[in-house]
Amino acid sequence: MVVELISVGTELLLGNIVNTNAAYLAEKCAGLGLSCYYQSVVGDNEERLSAAIRAAADRADIVILSGGLGPTEDDLTKETAAKVWERHLFLDLAVKMQIQGFFTKRGMNPTENNWKQSMVPEGAVVVNNPNGTAPGLIMEKDQKCMILLPGPPGELVPMFEESIVPYLKALQPGVIFSKTVKVCGIGESQAETMAKDLIGAQTNPTIATYAKTGEVHFRVTALADAKEEAKRMTKPVVEELKKRFGSHVYTSKEKVTLERAVVKLLQKEKLTVATAESCTGGMLAARLINVSGVSESLKVSYITYSDKAKRNILGVKKGTLEEFGAVSSEAAEEMAKGAAISANADVAVATTGIAGPKGGSGQKPVGLVYIACNVKGKIRVEKYQFSGSRMKVRENAVASALTLMRKCILEYRETAKDE
């Protein structure tokens, strides 16, 4: 089946808001075995939105619209979609009561324009929205369907996961099963090259690649009459990917993140960790703290942005900073050594670099980052050259630090086995 996505909102066209909904919906639809050939962004204009809906409905079996379901006059998605499919709007008392309850629970009173959200197209299925006042809507016509979702991701994501995914699965002629193989420490182009023959030969199951910051994900999806059959079909492809990428595969579970995989590895090996961050400014610790139960492993995080802090807290030598600079392999090594000693931790990871946009030079350009990992006194330092904005450099540095930490712990484990 073919799906088409329409994101509604002038703020998206102006770049005031990043369109994360489209990326999320596209990935989820692909995982459900739906083909998406077109996406569009339309401002809050009835004429242009009507044209976009008509074009999408001609091309696709399923049209998903996000945004424009709010209470203000420029929120036109529901009204426009109803008009295109010739549906009258009527007051849904159940939705009105839900809106009232939403405000009452928060000690607030709805304004008159909030009742606009309780108007529903005739024949539409109302989708509950416990996180906001705009319900989702599903309309069907001539073997096609149109799904309307609220724009705020905090409302759209749980609604899609809880209500829309089961609906879309029921539309499929068979059962979809997906398995994700997540790889770190290998770039997108190299990863794709390593799996190029598998991707080129795909039919059922299919293989889709997704590039993340510092990671590449392969989603293997099979369509069959029963779940067990679909699961069986994905198994050899998943096993082949694991064989090709070896230790670079950190999980084949959808909900396991890189930081969770690292924390679980620390816990399995009964290792404690400390971080010493300069250019990442606490972002590495924040990624680790995303994982519930990390308190068993994470002892302390030092943000040593200045040279003075590097000397006083981590014991980086003044001579090292004067001769090699704060952004150097030598400084990163001493940071990792000092953090482990100061925190009495088994593992210490240090980051130092030039995030930009200023501060670079010919010898040390913007994006240069050194990351050191100290496991039980064995220190490894890696040099990286990232590009992009200041935030992008820092995000890449954090992903690389997690990858290096995982790699060093795995090497420590293998060495310990041999002893």
Side-chain angles (χ1 to χ4, degrees):
M1 299 184 77
V2 177
V3 65
E4 185 158 336
L5 307 178
I6 302 176
S7 304
V8 184
T10 302
E11 67 277 9
L12 295 171
L13 289 173
L14 296 176
N16 300 135
I17 295 177
V18 177
N19 192 1
T20 58
N21 287 341
Y24 165 80
L25 290 171
E27 185 172 350
K28 288 297 178 181
C29 287
L32 290 167
L34 299 170
S35 300
C36 183
Y37 302 132
Y38 294 92
Q39 294 182 23
S40 60
V41 180
V42 186
D44 302 304
N45 177 278
E46 182 180 346
E47 183 180 350
R48 288 189 286 274
L49 180 55
S50 295
I53 292 173
R54 289 192 180 95
D58 285 342
R59 291 188 292 243
D61 306 296
I62 303 162
V63 181
I64 301 178
L65 296 101
S66 59
L69 299 183
T72 61
E73 288 186 11
D74 63 347
D75 289 310
L76 301 167
T77 301
K78 175 178 60 184
E79 292 77 7
T80 305
K83 187 178 291 187
V84 171
W85 274 14
E86 300 178 337
R87 304 283 180 91
H88 294 295
L89 296 172
F90 71 94
L91 176 65
D92 189 314
L93 293 177
V95 175
K96 186 174 183 179
M97 289 177 63
Q98 185 182 16
I99 293 172
Q100 180 64 66
F102 181 89
F103 282 98
T104 300
K105 186 178 180 180
R106 290 159 177 75
M108 302 167 62
N109 293 314
T111 56
E112 191 60 33
N113 59 359
N114 281 117
W115 303 129
K116 171 177 178 279
Q117 295 175 298
S118 61
M119 300 297 290
V120 174
E122 59 182 356
V125 175
V126 176
V127 183
N128 184 41
N129 180 8
N131 302 294
T133 56
L137 296 164
I138 300 173
M139 294 191 290
E140 298 179 340
K141 180 183 180 182
D142 299 333
Q143 312 256 300
K144 299 199 174 190
C145 75
M146 187 155 31
I147 301 171
L148 280 59
L149 301 172
E155 299 176 34
L156 180 145
V157 172
M159 182 183 291
F160 191 84
E161 298 277 358
E162 295 164 18
S163 302
I164 306 303
V165 167
Y167 171 79
L168 292 175
K169 282 184 176 180
L171 294 179
Q172 290 282 63
V175 176
I176 295 289
F177 179 80
S178 293
K179 192 79 171 174
T180 301
V181 178
K182 300 183 181 181
V183 175
C184 65
I186 292 182
E188 180 187 6
S189 57
Q190 184 183 353
E192 187 176 16
T193 299
M194 290 173 68
K196 190 174 182 179
D197 60 318
L198 293 176
I199 297 170
Q202 64 179 325
T203 51
N204 185 23
T206 60
I207 305 172
T209 57
Y210 302 93
K212 308 288 183 179
T213 301
E215 305 177 40
V216 179
H217 297 180
F218 294 90
R219 176 167 290 147
V220 183
T221 303
L223 173 64
D225 293 330
K227 182 178 179 180
E228 285 306 312
E229 183 184 355
K231 190 174 181 180
R232 179 185 57 78
M233 291 167 66
T234 64
K235 188 174 181 179
V237 181
V238 169
E239 291 304 316
E240 179 61 27
L241 287 169
K242 287 181 177 180
K243 180 181 176 181
R244 293 190 184 194
F245 290 98
S247 62
H248 292 287
V249 176
Y250 72 84
T251 189
S252 58
K253 296 180 180 178
E254 181 66 35
K255 293 185 178 181
V256 174
T257 60
L258 179 56
E259 57 264 33
R260 184 178 175 187
V262 170
V263 170
K264 294 303 177 186
L265 185 58
L266 285 165
Q267 293 173 343
K268 185 176 181 180
E269 300 302 317
K270 295 181 172 54
L271 298 171
T272 56
V273 65
T275 65
E277 304 183 58
S278 184
C279 60
T280 51
M283 289 174 66
L284 174 57
R287 281 282 295 268
L288 292 171
I289 292 170
N290 282 338
V291 183
S292 177
V294 71
S295 56
E296 296 177 24
S297 306
L298 181 60
K299 299 193 76 171
V300 67
S301 178
Y302 304 107
I303 302 176
T304 53
Y305 203 69
S306 67
D307 287 2
K308 186 176 181 180
K310 290 179 179 68
R311 293 199 312 270
N312 294 344
I313 298 173
L314 302 176
V316 177
K317 297 172 186 175
K318 185 177 181 181
T320 299
L321 296 170
E322 289 177 346
E323 183 177 355
F324 302 104
V327 180
S328 64
S329 174
E330 292 79 5
E333 181 175 347
E334 291 186 20
M335 287 171 69
K337 183 178 180 181
I341 294 171
S342 181
N344 191 27
D346 302 312
V347 180
V349 184
T351 62
T352 181
I354 304 169
K358 298 178 180 179
S361 65
Q363 290 185 324
K364 296 184 179 182
V366 169
L368 175 65
V369 176
Y370 289 94
I371 302 174
C373 183
N374 178 358
V375 181
K376 296 276 192 174
K378 184 177 181 180
I379 304 176
R380 180 173 185 154
V381 184
E382 296 287 348
K383 177 182 177 181
Y384 302 86
Q385 183 62 56
F386 302 120
S387 59
S389 66
R390 181 179 179 86
M391 180 57 71
K392 197 65 180 175
V393 168
R394 297 173 70 211
E395 288 173 346
N396 273 299
V398 170
S400 297
L402 289 168
T403 299
L404 180 61
M405 194 192 316
R406 177 178 175 273
K407 184 176 183 179
C408 290
I409 295 170
L410 289 175
E411 289 176 351
Y412 159 79
R413 184 171 69 181
E414 290 304 310
T415 302
K417 283 181 182 179
D418 295 335
E419 292 177 351

